[in-house]
Amino acid sequence: MMVLMAGPEDVAGIAALDRDRLGLDAWSEESWGEEVGSTGRLTQIVQDDTGATVGFADWLLPGADRTAELLKIAVSSARSREGIGSLLMDAGLRLVTEAGADEVLLEVSAANPAALAMYRGYGFSTLARRPKYYRDGSDALVMRLALDPGR
């Protein structure tokens, strides 16, 4: 499997996977259409043998503050535990480091133990908690990773 840069032709697949995995917190297809390829953004996908999107990650590239953000990441439930999330994280972290990031921030549901385990495995630490941040009422944890320029 390979991580690819998303283009306009990938928007429908990304939006469908986002709806499937993130439900009420998913972005609309229109929002994804504006996001993919926009300045300062990096949207990656992983596709299966049929060309269906089975994973995506969306990053805000670093600005003057040298902080990148992982805005969204999702993997198809049918393909979880196959390393797709790690492929997306590894590729994204490499690219945001090359773009000059010193750190990465993200928000994750405190009710998502699998995501928390992955992020902690990468070295993310919790900075803050946002009570009832998500539409399902779960809290968001704001997490930070200091980047090693040699990554």
Side-chain angles (χ1 to χ4, degrees), residues 1-5 42 44 46 57 59 61-62 68 70 85-104 122 124 145 147-151:
M1 283 185 280
M2 291 180 39
V3 176
L4 307 167
M5 297 306 227
L42 171 68
Q44 306 162 291
V46 173
W59 302 81
L61 295 172
L70 176 56
S86 294
L87 279 175
L88 289 161
M89 285 293 293
D90 291 342
L93 290 172
R94 187 173 47 257
L95 290 172
V96 298
T97 299
E98 289 171 2
D102 289 335
E103 67 177 358
V104 176
Y122 275 91
F124 281 85
L145 173 66
L147 294 174
D148 174 1
R151 189 174 189 70

Side-chain angles (χ1 to χ4, degrees), residues 112-149:
N112 188 340
L116 289 168
M118 182 176 79
Y119 298 141
R120 288 186 179 125
Y122 275 91
F124 281 85
S125 59
T126 301
L127 292 178
R129 179 180 288 264
R130 294 186 173 149
K132 298 181 182 177
Y133 182 80
Y134 293 103
R135 291 184 185 182
D136 67 0
S138 65
D139 294 353
L141 299 180
V142 179
M143 299 184 84
R144 177 185 178 271
L145 173 66
L147 294 174
D148 174 1

Side-chain angles (χ1 to χ4, degrees), residues 20-125:
D20 179 56
R21 297 301 288 166
L22 300 173
L24 295 172
D25 291 301
W27 295 346
S28 69
E29 189 168 331
E30 180 181 330
S31 293
W32 276 111
E34 293 171 6
E35 184 74 8
V36 172
S38 61
T39 303
R41 300 295 202 272
L42 171 68
T43 308
Q44 306 162 291
I45 59 169
V46 173
Q47 296 176 325
D48 67 12
D49 294 339
T50 70
T53 299
V54 295
F56 71 82
D58 192 51
W59 302 81
L60 176 63
L61 295 172
D65 65 357
R66 301 181 61 87
T67 299
E69 288 185 50
L70 176 56
L71 302 173
K72 287 199 172 217
I73 186 170
V75 174
S76 165
S77 57
R79 300 297 299 268
S80 65
R81 304 263 184 228
E82 292 183 21
I84 295 169
S86 294
L87 279 175
L88 289 161
M89 285 293 293
D90 291 342
L93 290 172
R94 187 173 47 257
L95 290 172
V96 298
T97 299
E98 289 171 2
D102 289 335
E103 67 177 358
V104 176
L105 298 177
L106 61 81
E107 294 168 344
V108 59
S109 172
N112 188 340
L116 289 168
M118 182 176 79
Y119 298 141
R120 288 186 179 125
Y122 275 91
F124 281 85
S125 59

